[in-house]
Amino acid sequence: MAELAFFSGTMDSGKSTLALQMHHNHAARGRDGLLFTSHDRSGEARLSSRLGLSVPAQEVSPATDFWAEVVERRTRGRAVDYLICDEAQFYTAEQVDQLARVVDDLGADVFAFGIATDFRARLFPGSARLLAMADRVEVLQVQALCWCGARATHNARTVGGVMVVEGEQVVVGDVDAAPEADEVGYEVLCRRHHVRRQTARTAQAAAPSPQTLGMLPEPSEPSAS
């Protein structure tokens, strides 16, 4: 039976890698699939992984109608057994409902991948609807790590390595952005450091001076008179 599955995780948890692997596995068994993405780091109409894998995909815009996309292809003779939907947090709630209809009425599997919350720790509309509508929700087992070594659970937006909490919900950036550059980037943090707005760069700046214990010369003993 077809299903709508949502695979969720923070940035750097391997969502796109899993999406590409799932596409490979299904295609290797002779199934016909469609790949969709939105605002991928490598550019428009690409589905890419941080490991360096990249394949063509259809760019999702607010005007994309998933039901019409599948029906049009099936009308032309394609099977369309499954859909891989990456960066699904950027989809609209209506588009998620379309995906659910593709599963229920057309019998195609839909595998959606995305982050749940934005840089302010608020649910994306697409993710919120997926959490409500999915037959199955899985949190990725590959754990991204905060700079402190704890499990990263939140996505922080940074400018020059400093966390910001205001701005548009969707701004394209990457966790590989140079912290010294005055550009938008992202960093994964544990809840504690997200609440404190403490990134790797600001934590380093706030660190105390290195300990000098054992580095000072020992006092000389008084000479005998």
Side-chain angles (χ1 to χ4, degrees):
M1 180 176 292
E3 66 171 350
L4 171 57
F6 180 38
F7 299 86
S8 180
T10 62
M11 291 181 171
D12 253 357
S13 62
K15 297 180 300 301
S16 297
T17 301
L18 179 59
L20 290 168
Q21 182 66 54
M22 188 168 290
H23 170 57
H24 170 78
N25 290 351
H26 283 262
R29 294 297 177 265
R31 304 192 77 203
D32 180 29
L34 300 176
L35 278 69
F36 295 91
T37 190
S38 179
H39 298 92
D40 188 271
R41 71 185 69 83
S42 65
E44 187 172 333
R46 302 292 302 180
L47 196 167
S48 67
S49 163
R50 298 188 195 281
L51 298 183
L53 303 174
S54 180
V55 299
Q58 184 164 334
E59 185 74 15
V60 176
S61 74
T64 300
D65 185 326
F66 289 104
W67 172 268
E69 294 284 346
V70 176
V71 168
E72 190 270 336
R73 285 168 174 78
R74 285 192 172 181
T75 300
R76 292 191 282 110
R78 286 190 61 177
V80 188
D81 301 306
Y82 66 93
L83 278 64
I84 299 291
C85 297
D86 199 25
E87 307 292 357
Q89 71 272 8
F90 298 135
Y91 302 178
T92 67
E94 292 75 17
Q95 287 172 327
V96 174
D97 289 341
Q98 294 165 11
L99 292 172
R101 187 183 176 198
V102 166
V103 173
D104 295 338
D105 295 348
L106 299 180
D109 289 309
V110 173
F111 306 111
F113 303 81
I115 60 179
T117 58
D118 63 15
F119 68 105
R120 298 164 297 186
R122 299 175 185 173
L123 283 169
F124 281 99
S127 299
R129 192 59 178 163
L130 279 163
L131 290 170
M133 298 296 289
D135 300 300
R136 176 164 58 101
V137 176
E138 293 194 15
V139 177
L140 271 63
Q141 296 303 306
V142 177
Q143 295 184 0
L145 299 178
C146 177
W147 59 264
C148 69
R151 179 187 177 189
T153 55
H154 290 64
N155 305 292
R157 180 181 295 170
T158 62
V159 176
V162 178
M163 181 173 164
V164 296
V165 294
E166 295 184 359
E168 296 293 330
Q169 187 176 50
V170 179
V171 176
V172 177
D174 198 3
V175 294
D176 294 328
E180 64 274 8
D182 189 19
E183 61 182 85
V184 174
Y186 288 90
E187 183 175 342
V188 289
L189 300 174
C190 64
R191 181 181 63 245
R192 179 177 62 169
H193 289 124
H194 190 274
V195 170
R196 295 178 179 178
R197 304 184 187 179
Q198 196 169 17
T199 65
R201 184 177 186 183
T202 58
Q204 184 178 24
S209 300
Q211 295 294 323
T212 58
L213 185 63
M215 299 298 291
L216 295 177
E218 295 183 2
S220 59
E221 295 182 2
S223 60
S225 57

